[in-house]
Amino acid sequence: MKASRDEFFLGKCLSLAKKGCGLVSPNPMVGAVIVKGSHIVGYGWHRVFGFPHAEVEALNMAGERAKGATLYVNLEPCCHYGKTPPCVDAIIKSGIKKVIFSTIDPNPFVNGKSVSILENKGINVGYGILEKESRDLNEAYFTYINKKRPFISLKWAMSIDGKIANEKGESKWITSDEARQYNRKLRFEYDAILTGVNTIIKDNPYLDYQSPSYLAKKEIINRKKYYKVVLDSSLRIPRLSNVFLNTSAKLLLFVKKGISVNENSDNIEIVELDEVEQGMLDVRQAVNYLYNLGVGKLFIEGGTKVLTSFYRLNLFDTIYAFIGSRILGGSAVYPPIEGKPVPLDSQKSLDIKEVVKFSTDLLLLLKNVHRNN
């Protein structure tokens, strides 16, 4: 079926919005297109947190040509002061006569208010086109606003026989270099990556990301929000660990209350949490702390204990399960998730959202259909 004019231009907005992936959180990814007659006279997207919004970028490009034109945008324009002035003010001042957007902004400071403001100024407003696509694109933003926590993904790499480590507890080379490179690119989409101290001690990872090739401007990359987070109840992390090397990312060490701390660094923060059981910290407190820092997307790359702590609480939205084409065997078992067995006839809690095939590995992207946290 042929797409309508509005669908066509809103589709372009969605494509532009994706360019802000990994850079604008906890704000939404937004793209805007200004159309006059049958010509695009301006376009833009929210490039990085704190920069002008998509609508303002498009209006700046269009200039005087915006008068009498139609503005397309995938999310309701903002009407409140944040890092930047309200977009509705710029829209009204520009002479735009019609605004078409995909979905209402769930932020209580907006949430339909912009529609009334624009209509009261004589601007025609329409919305609800490509709404599902827009909500899917900004699922993390909707989670951040509605659930008051980051969007959380669990990730593990396992062998065909379901193990995330060999009998020595080593897990670095279960998947291929191709899959590991994909994972480093995946990390870029997130604001924080969390693991446990045992993973740091055994594998000594850097926990770094790989930025997209099209992002060549250091001005943009240097403004990316990225935290390395380690659950380390007794502060056992070796001071020469690789996670300390990249000083462009702040390192958060979560420890149990009462631990003696002697650390003085602008790039390292030590935060005390309650201990819920021997050696295990309250991950709900960790998540809440990260939410208050403005972390909109959290990537969990821990071992069995860390992954299980989030899984037991149903505190996750998606799972990235990498499956390497090898069998580890051996007597020791390191599963991704441990605990009470789940009956085979229990209600299904995961849906397969996507399958990615590498030369020797598979990636299953699974969605938590019963998340309630």
Side-chain angles (χ1 to χ4, degrees):
M1 184 172 68
K2 186 177 180 181
S4 70
R5 173 186 172 94
D6 291 343
E7 288 176 328
F8 176 79
F9 288 117
L10 285 172
K12 287 193 172 296
C13 292
L14 290 169
S15 296
L16 288 167
K18 292 175 184 177
K19 294 185 176 184
C21 182
L23 295 167
V24 301
S25 181
N27 283 351
M29 292 177 278
V30 181
V33 171
I34 297 174
V35 179
K36 196 164 190 178
S38 58
H39 300 286
I40 294 176
V41 296
Y43 63 87
W45 65 93
H46 189 24
R47 296 175 184 270
V48 68
F49 184 76
F51 274 33
H53 288 184
E55 300 93 319
V56 173
E57 288 238 336
L59 289 169
N60 287 340
M61 179 183 288
E64 290 296 318
R65 294 174 296 176
K67 290 182 179 179
T70 298
L71 168 67
Y72 289 93
V73 60
N74 58 289
L75 188 72
E76 177 185 7
C78 69
C79 56
H80 67 292
Y81 278 90
K83 290 288 184 181
T84 59
C87 289
V88 292
D89 291 355
I91 294 169
I92 293 166
K93 185 178 179 180
S94 72
I96 287 283
K97 288 300 181 185
K98 189 174 185 179
V99 175
I100 304 292
F101 64 88
S102 294
T103 187
I104 294 287
D105 188 335
N107 189 327
F109 290 107
V110 189
N111 201 25
K113 295 181 179 68
S114 295
V115 177
S116 299
I117 293 171
L118 293 171
E119 288 181 337
N120 287 338
K121 292 295 183 178
I123 298 174
N124 190 355
V125 180
Y127 60 91
I129 301 170
L130 299 187
E131 184 170 12
K132 182 182 183 302
E133 291 83 351
S134 182
R135 290 178 69 91
D136 286 348
L137 175 68
N138 279 308
E139 184 179 11
Y141 173 69
F142 278 79
T143 299
Y144 185 81
I145 295 295
N146 294 330
K147 296 183 179 291
K148 293 182 170 50
R149 66 161 174 82
F151 181 89
I152 300 173
S153 293
L154 309 182
K155 174 264 173 179
W156 63 73
M158 65 182 183
S159 61
I160 291 175
D161 52 337
K163 299 172 183 177
I164 65 171
N166 64 16
E167 56 187 11
K168 296 180 181 179
E170 300 167 336
S171 61
K172 287 187 73 171
W173 313 117
I174 288 178
T175 54
S176 65
D177 183 64
E178 183 183 4
R180 292 194 297 273
Q181 287 295 322
Y182 185 96
N183 186 59
R184 292 188 70 236
K185 292 177 182 177
L186 187 61
R187 288 175 183 167
F188 179 82
E189 300 179 12
Y190 289 77
D191 308 324
I193 180 169
L194 182 150
T195 192
V197 68
N198 288 334
T199 296
I200 299 296
I201 292 172
K202 290 177 181 177
D203 293 344
N204 196 21
Y206 290 89
L207 299 182
D208 289 333
Y209 61 78
Q210 182 175 329
S211 58
S213 57
Y214 62 83
L215 283 177
K217 293 184 178 180
K218 286 188 176 180
E219 178 191 14
I220 299 291
I221 292 295
N222 290 343
R223 292 179 67 100
K224 174 175 169 54
K225 181 186 301 176
Y226 194 67
Y227 295 93
K228 298 179 182 182
V229 185
V230 181
L231 299 177
D232 185 7
S233 61
S234 300
L235 200 56
R236 295 186 293 124
I237 187 168
R239 196 57 183 85
L240 296 179
S241 299
N242 289 331
V243 288
F244 290 100
L245 296 180
N246 182 2
T247 56
S248 64
K250 190 162 188 175
L251 178 62
L252 296 180
L253 300 177
F254 286 121
V255 303
K256 67 181 178 182
K257 291 180 178 178
I259 286 293
S260 177
V261 174
N262 183 20
E263 181 64 54
N264 185 18
S265 172
D266 292 337
N267 199 54
I268 302 170
E269 183 177 355
I270 299 178
V271 181
E272 293 185 352
L273 303 179
D274 289 330
E275 192 175 32
V276 292
E277 56 183 272
Q278 184 66 34
M280 291 302 298
L281 299 171
D282 189 339
V283 296
R284 289 168 297 190
Q285 291 180 1
V287 167
N288 188 59
Y289 188 89
L290 293 170
Y291 166 79
N292 289 325
L293 282 180
V295 170
K297 295 186 73 175
L298 173 61
F299 201 57
I300 312 295
E301 277 201 57
T304 299
K305 288 184 177 180
V306 171
L307 291 168
T308 300
S309 64
F310 282 88
Y311 185 82
R312 282 179 180 172
L313 294 170
N314 201 27
L315 193 53
F316 69 98
D317 301 284
T318 58
I319 293 175
Y320 289 89
F322 288 83
I323 305 172
S325 57
R326 63 175 63 198
I327 296 175
L328 294 184
S331 57
V333 177
Y334 292 91
I337 305 294
E338 63 182 0
K340 295 181 179 179
V342 178
L344 289 176
D345 60 353
S346 62
Q347 186 180 16
K348 186 179 71 169
S349 60
L350 299 172
D351 274 347
I352 297 177
K353 188 175 180 180
E354 186 180 358
V355 178
V356 180
K357 186 179 184 302
F358 306 103
S359 56
T360 59
D361 311 297
L362 281 178
L363 165 61
L364 296 181
L365 173 55
L366 305 160
K367 184 172 183 178
N368 182 2
V369 297
H370 298 306
R371 56 182 180 156
N372 53 18
N373 297 92

